Amino acid sequence: MHTHFPADRLLQHPTPCYYYDTALLDATLAEIDRCTRGEPHWHVHYAIKANANPAILRRIARAGLGADCVSGGEIEAAIAAGIPATRIVYAGVGKSDREIDLALRHSIACFNVESLEELQVINERAASLGTIAPVAFRINPNVDACTHAKITTGLSENKFGIDLGDTERAIRTAHSLAHIRYEGLHFHIGSQILTDAPFRRLCHRINELQERLERQGIRTPGINVGGGLGISYEHPDDESIPRFEPYFDTFRRHLALRPGQQLHFELGRSVVGQCGTLIARVLYVKQGTTRRFLILDAGMTELVRPAMYGARHAVQRIALPTDATPAADAPRCTYDVVGPVCESSDVFVKDQPLPPCRRGDLIAIRSAGAYGESMASTYNLRPLPPTIVQ
Ligand code: LLP
């Protein structure tokens, strides 16, 4: 599916802004539904951290997905968008007392617990509210996701989760606490994973662990395999819908679920990544001594991924009704595409070939629907970007 940018309308709109293609979002949600429909025990939770725009969340809620939240604010956003609390799971290494109480009052489906210290606090808070907290333990499976070091989470050196070897102790403690109900095991190995192998290794690790637990008489109601499916940043139009079918098949084939056991997914980037574009205007075309810079009105404050992870997003000039030559026929220039923020890392891409650009031209920075708007900041006292949900 190709995203079409309405140049006339965008020219009237203040930039920088986020533009969301809801037809693509809906097609992506339909594909997730198609791939999971025949599985009554499967539950897909959308990882809200990827994009919490209320209009996007409402569409995701309408499609029937649950939510994976990592803060009290995200729990409130999920509920406001119409996601029932019974489909909300709540993770995070540092849940505050206030956030735990909020989750308990809403009776969310499950806390993904990351330490025994946290388990004790949840038990105390549940006792004081006269309720029982459903918990899954986030286990660190020590599986290398083989992606960017800053988004790999399943290795034992990361701060996330409980050590694989401590699983039994955690479950026994849960069984001994009056206000805790053991619901299952949770895993998440990392993000932007484009090959099958890390997910296969995760399945095998879970299978071994389940057998080990069963030998000790421990039964596990549910397994949560986290998120992590990647998207194509190189070809946002040709691969606008991520490859959900092989992803879900990997779990169907390699994960040995027990009869009646529930399986949870927490997909973020793959749900919303391709439907969002950061729209910027060219402020200046600056000829330096060795480089030619395209200085945009958008920068790392609107999209931090290039500066933070060295991520590369496709950068395109949006064709304008006044263009003399169609973009495909225009000669190409090479630009370093940069933002206005006072940091030398505020660079989207270097040596980018583009049709010749002038002040006022519109630039699309693609595949920015996930971890774009949600990570925007007001650094340099810049305002947060407005959005167009089309
Ligand atoms: N579940 C847990 C426990 C997570 O920590 C994450 C993401 C997800 C699910 C969703 O993962 P996804 O399906 O989106 O890969 N800001 C970084 C990505 C950080 C991911 C954090 N955790 C980026 O822009 O690449």
Side-chain angles (χ1 to χ4, degrees):
M1 254 171 100
H2 282 233
T3 293
H4 165 73
F5 298 104
D8 280 331
R9 177 155 176 229
L10 294 174
L11 281 168
Q12 306 303 318
H13 200 273
T15 53
C17 69
Y18 271 98
Y19 176 85
Y20 294 109
D21 177 350
T22 53
L24 178 56
L25 175 61
D26 290 346
T28 306
L29 292 166
E31 176 65 1
I32 293 174
D33 180 59
R34 191 185 68 78
C35 296
T36 57
R37 199 179 297 149
E39 304 283 356
H41 299 312
W42 287 19
H43 312 272
V44 180
H45 305 265
Y46 166 61
I48 292 200
K49 62 175 86 64
N51 189 317
N53 181 294
I56 302 282
L57 279 188
R58 279 196 298 272
R59 283 190 116 80
I60 292 173
R62 230 179 297 145
L65 270 63
D68 159 36
C69 300
V70 289
S71 70
E74 288 191 354
I75 294 173
E76 283 169 335
I79 288 171
I83 296 175
T86 51
R87 292 209 192 124
I88 294 178
V89 297
Y90 174 27
V93 287
K95 303 178 184 78
S96 71
D97 293 12
R98 192 193 64 78
E99 291 175 310
I100 293 169
D101 286 0
L102 176 93
L104 287 170
R105 287 208 178 90
H106 280 295
S107 305
I108 63 157
C110 196
F111 289 80
N112 291 332
V113 170
E114 307 232 8
S115 66
L116 288 177
E117 293 80 355
E118 179 194 331
L119 183 70
Q120 295 292 349
V121 173
I122 295 178
N123 183 55
E124 283 161 23
R125 300 311 310 164
S128 76
L129 293 175
T131 185
I132 295 199
V135 308
F137 289 107
R138 176 164 181 179
I139 303 298
N140 191 332
N142 209 9
V143 169
D144 193 346
C146 303
T147 65
H148 195 281
K150 285 192 181 151
I151 51 177
T152 291
T153 47
L155 287 174
S156 41
E157 69 212 49
N158 294 123
K159 69 178 174 181
F160 298 103
I162 293 170
D163 209 71
L164 197 58
D166 290 335
T167 313
E168 285 88 341
R169 189 153 72 94
I171 299 172
R172 294 226 166 81
T173 311
H175 284 319
S176 75
L177 295 171
H179 293 272
I180 296 289
R181 185 173 69 240
Y182 171 62
E183 285 287 340
L185 300 172
H186 173 238
F187 307 84
H188 174 76
I189 52 175
S191 201
Q192 185 53 14
I193 300 169
L194 288 167
T195 59
D196 184 43
F199 294 120
R200 240 176 17 226
R201 281 198 292 273
L202 172 63
C203 290
H204 295 148
R205 205 47 67 82
I206 297 173
N207 293 342
E208 287 161 13
L209 178 59
Q210 282 230 80
E211 281 166 26
R212 194 177 93 193
L213 294 177
E214 281 169 355
R215 281 198 295 274
Q216 301 168 71
I218 298 173
R219 226 195 106 259
T220 296
I223 301 286
N224 183 331
V225 292
L229 175 62
I231 63 170
S232 170
Y233 283 95
E234 296 80 30
H235 306 291
D237 287 316
D238 298 340
E239 295 176 44
S240 58
I241 298 185
R243 301 180 184 199
F244 290 110
E245 180 124 46
Y247 167 77
F248 286 118
D249 271 351
T250 299
F251 292 96
R252 203 174 269 122
R253 285 213 307 259
H254 297 281
L255 189 62
L257 283 184
R258 308 306 191 236
Q261 199 167 41
Q262 309 295 307
L263 176 59
H264 301 264
F265 298 89
E266 299 173 339
L267 295 174
R269 186 190 318 264
S270 53
V271 182
V272 291
Q274 297 293 30
C275 78
T277 301
L278 175 59
I279 308 285
R281 259 189 182 76
V282 174
L283 290 177
Y284 303 103
V285 182
K286 170 171 164 177
Q287 183 60 61
T289 34
T290 55
R291 333 261 323 160
R292 188 165 21 203
F293 297 100
L294 203 61
I295 302 176
L296 306 182
D297 61 359
M300 62 190 289
T301 39
E302 287 70 39
L303 180 66
V304 76
R305 304 192 67 259
M308 193 157 172
Y309 314 114
R312 191 168 176 146
H313 288 249
V315 172
Q316 301 162 344
R317 178 180 175 280
I318 296 178
L320 300 178
T322 49
D323 282 351
T325 359
D329 303 336
R332 299 243 135 183
C333 292
T334 302
Y335 298 102
D336 285 1
V337 182
V338 304
V341 175
C342 296
E343 294 278 343
S344 40
S345 59
D346 188 25
V347 175
F348 286 115
V349 57
K350 290 189 170 168
D351 292 318
Q352 171 74 40
L354 284 171
C357 291
R358 287 185 316 201
R359 175 173 167 82
D361 281 354
L362 292 174
I363 299 293
I365 302 167
R366 305 293 307 276
S367 313
Y371 308 108
E373 191 187 343
S374 64
M375 293 180 82
S377 80
T378 57
Y379 183 44
N380 285 190
L381 288 188
R382 289 166 56 78
L384 291 173
T387 60
I388 303 176
V389 181
Q390 180 73 11

